[in-house]
Amino acid sequence: MIQKLQLVLLVKLETMLNKFDKKYFRNILLVFTGTFLSQAIVIGFSPFLTRIYTPENFGVFNLFISIITVGSIFSTGRYEISILQPQNIIESLNLTKLSVLISLGSTVVLSLFLFFIKIEKIDEIKYFIPISVFLTAFYQIILNYLNKGEKYKSISISKFVKSLFLVIFQIGFSFYYLNGLIIGYIISIFISSFYLLIQSKLTFLFFLKFRINELTELLKKYINYPKFSLFADTINSFTNQMPLFFIFLIYGEKEAGFYGLTLRLLGLPLVFISNSILEVFKQNAVNEVQSIGNCSKTFIKTFLILIVISLPIFIVFGFFSPNIFSFLFGNNWINSGHYAQILVFLFFFKFIVSPLSFVLYIYNKQKIDLIWQILLFFVTIIIFFLFSKYLNVESVLMVYSIFYSIMYIVLFFISFKISNLKYGWNH
């Protein structure tokens, strides 16, 4: 298997160097540029934010973002991913409408749930959660619709707009302390969602006009997304956020703040490079499956791009993280740099495998993804339940990093094998 992979990589690399897909690269560069600028704004202003807000403030804010991340995935039933699949644009439009309506209904249920319960740890922030969940889901739905039309420029600008208003309002509302971070997030996601809506040329009236029978047919046709992907992706998201939950509950708000900053900086390559490549990989892989029956060419091409980009980035993080964090954010945040050194291998493999594993959706292999996510979920629980009782936070993160790296390597080989299958999602 490994020898076959090496041979394929060498052949594909030679072909790619001789005749590179200029359009594919241009689309990646377009999305990357906007995302890079947006993240440059966030990182550029982070030294101000880390001196305005305390690690404890960021610890609670990170918990809030974790809840929003999980909630926004669950709220759509994952029907927003299906927007990319139809060849018929009308069907994609109806899936967009369906996703928004499902998200709206989920938000109403969530609002009622939070109104009638009292959870001490989130009592201060719980009333911000429903609107944030809906706006985050809505942003992703419209982004996927624009992705279907290959409107990469609009996608790129929206990410820039979101980051720009995020830092402006988080600094502007700093006198509200913790709530300033949250208010800044809500305003930024609202403005960027409104921009995407304008670019999509959809109106609010569009979402109010629908036929029950059409939406019901789509619910049934794409049932695999809520049936398998919803559970898998919710578990995946919850699993990704679980370390923060455990650190917050076991080691306290301050350590959660350190860990959150580590995720923000160490996750930057994943956010503005890997995810940018994913936006282009999605549609190109779908097109290749529709054209020749598999997407192995796009898979290998994307893998090589990811390897070349990621190596120098994570080598720097591996050796110089404590210096980088203390220089950028102040000596109070040096613990975040130590956490980054521990987690660097995990993020290296995640950077490469995350976009490539989208082939599981293209080939309707949600069952495989679900099994992998469940395994990852239980591995995470076992690690934190067993080791957090006896080890400090750095030792627990070391065990976590090792096991996660192994899991992502396994997922890569599964995805590579699937990308070579014929007939795409029809079989």
Side-chain angles (χ1 to χ4, degrees):
M1 176 70 178
I2 296 176
Q3 290 179 341
K4 179 183 177 183
L5 175 61
Q6 291 174 337
L7 179 61
V8 173
L9 289 177
L10 289 173
V11 173
K12 295 293 182 180
L13 178 60
E14 183 179 356
T15 304
M16 186 178 68
L17 292 174
N18 291 334
K19 186 178 181 180
F20 196 84
D21 188 337
K22 293 182 179 179
K23 181 182 178 181
Y24 185 71
F25 182 76
R26 185 171 62 251
N27 289 337
I28 289 177
L29 185 62
L30 184 60
V31 177
F32 165 78
T33 301
T35 315
F36 173 80
L37 291 175
S38 68
Q39 292 303 315
I41 291 173
V42 172
I43 290 301
F45 282 92
S46 287
F48 296 99
L49 292 171
T50 54
R51 288 165 173 82
I52 295 172
Y53 298 99
T54 66
E56 288 82 359
N57 293 151
F58 272 100
V60 179
F61 176 66
N62 292 334
L63 180 67
F64 171 80
I65 293 299
S66 296
I67 295 171
I68 299 308
T69 301
V70 176
S72 62
I73 289 174
F74 187 81
S75 70
T76 62
R78 298 312 268 162
Y79 277 100
E80 85 280 6
I81 300 177
S82 65
I83 294 169
L84 295 165
Q85 188 167 327
Q87 292 180 309
N88 185 347
I89 190 63
I90 301 299
E91 190 165 308
S92 290
L93 276 168
N94 287 329
L95 285 167
T96 302
K97 185 184 299 183
L98 175 65
S99 300
V100 171
L101 293 173
I102 292 173
S103 181
L104 186 60
S106 300
T107 302
V108 172
V109 174
L110 177 62
S111 300
L112 293 173
F113 174 76
L114 291 174
F115 180 79
F116 287 108
I117 67 161
K118 183 176 179 62
I119 303 175
E120 186 177 346
K121 288 286 185 180
I122 66 167
D123 200 51
E124 186 180 0
I125 62 175
K126 71 177 185 178
Y127 296 111
F128 295 107
I129 292 174
I131 183 63
S132 301
V133 166
F134 175 74
L135 288 174
T136 303
F138 184 81
Y139 176 85
Q140 188 60 47
I141 291 167
I142 305 302
L143 185 144
N144 276 5
Y145 174 70
L146 291 175
N147 193 356
K148 173 66 178 178
E150 300 185 2
K151 305 294 184 181
Y152 299 117
K153 183 177 180 180
S154 297
I155 293 173
S156 184
I157 293 174
S158 75
K159 294 178 180 181
F160 175 80
V161 168
K162 184 170 64 171
S163 293
L164 178 63
F165 284 102
L166 175 68
V167 296
I168 288 175
F169 286 105
Q170 284 186 333
I171 293 175
F173 282 91
S174 60
F175 55 87
Y176 278 117
Y177 295 104
L178 172 62
N179 289 346
L181 291 169
I182 295 173
I183 292 171
Y185 174 82
I186 294 172
I187 295 175
S188 68
I189 196 70
F190 173 80
I191 294 174
S192 55
S193 296
F194 189 70
Y195 168 78
L196 283 181
L197 186 64
I198 293 172
Q199 295 302 307
S200 69
K201 298 181 180 179
L202 302 176
T203 64
F204 289 108
L205 189 61
F206 164 78
F207 297 102
L208 298 176
K209 291 183 177 181
F210 56 88
R211 295 178 181 177
I212 297 295
N213 61 327
E214 287 185 352
L215 297 185
T216 303
E217 289 178 6
L218 290 176
L219 281 169
K220 294 178 181 178
K221 182 176 181 179
Y222 295 95
I223 193 62
N224 274 354
Y225 286 95
K227 188 177 180 180
F228 299 112
S229 298
L230 174 61
F231 186 43
D233 291 347
T234 301
I235 288 178
N236 176 46
S237 180
F238 185 69
T239 303
N240 288 334
Q241 306 305 324
M242 201 183 303
L244 181 64
F245 291 143
F246 277 111
I247 291 172
F248 185 90
L249 295 173
I250 298 171
Y251 299 104
E253 296 176 1
K254 190 173 184 178
E255 294 301 328
F258 290 142
Y259 178 76
L261 186 62
T262 300
L263 293 186
R264 176 181 289 191
L265 193 62
L266 199 57
L268 277 179
L270 187 70
V271 170
F272 74 75
I273 302 177
S274 183
N275 286 356
S276 297
I277 292 174
L278 171 61
E279 295 299 334
V280 182
F281 173 74
K282 286 178 182 180
Q283 194 58 47
N284 280 266
V286 168
N287 291 341
E288 187 176 349
V289 170
Q290 292 174 342
S291 175
I292 64 174
N294 68 63
C295 61
S296 59
K297 179 181 177 181
T298 299
F299 186 97
I300 294 299
K301 179 170 58 179
T302 306
F303 170 68
L304 291 170
I305 293 172
L306 289 164
I307 284 288
V308 170
I309 294 173
S310 62
L311 278 175
I313 295 173
F314 287 102
I315 287 173
V316 170
F317 272 122
F319 285 100
F320 304 110
S321 286
N323 304 77
I324 293 171
F325 277 83
S326 60
F327 174 76
L328 288 177
F329 310 112
N331 291 329
N332 290 336
W333 295 87
I334 195 169
N335 281 0
S336 295
H338 294 307
Y339 294 175
Q341 285 184 311
I342 295 169
L343 297 171
V344 68
F345 285 106
L346 185 160
F347 275 87
F348 171 73
F349 290 114
K350 187 175 183 179
F351 175 93
I352 294 170
V353 179
S354 291
L356 297 176
S357 64
F358 191 80
V359 297
L360 297 176
Y361 291 100
I362 296 173
Y363 282 82
N364 267 343
K365 300 295 182 180
Q366 289 94 337
K367 290 182 181 179
I368 295 175
D369 185 49
L370 177 59
I371 293 170
W372 188 81
Q373 301 294 352
I374 291 173
L375 288 174
L376 206 62
F377 176 78
F378 283 109
V379 166
T380 306
I381 289 180
I382 291 170
I383 289 172
F384 278 92
F385 264 110
L386 288 182
F387 294 98
S388 61
K389 296 179 180 178
Y390 310 104
L391 302 176
N392 60 26
V393 62
E394 292 186 357
S395 299
V396 172
L397 289 176
M398 178 65 73
V399 177
Y400 169 72
S401 182
I402 292 171
F403 275 92
Y404 259 54
S405 297
I406 294 171
M407 292 293 289
Y408 274 105
I409 291 171
V410 171
L411 182 60
F412 169 79
F413 283 105
I414 292 173
S415 300
F416 173 70
K417 184 176 181 179
I418 289 174
S419 73
N420 285 277
L421 296 178
K422 295 292 183 181
Y423 308 116
W425 52 63
N426 293 322
H427 291 258

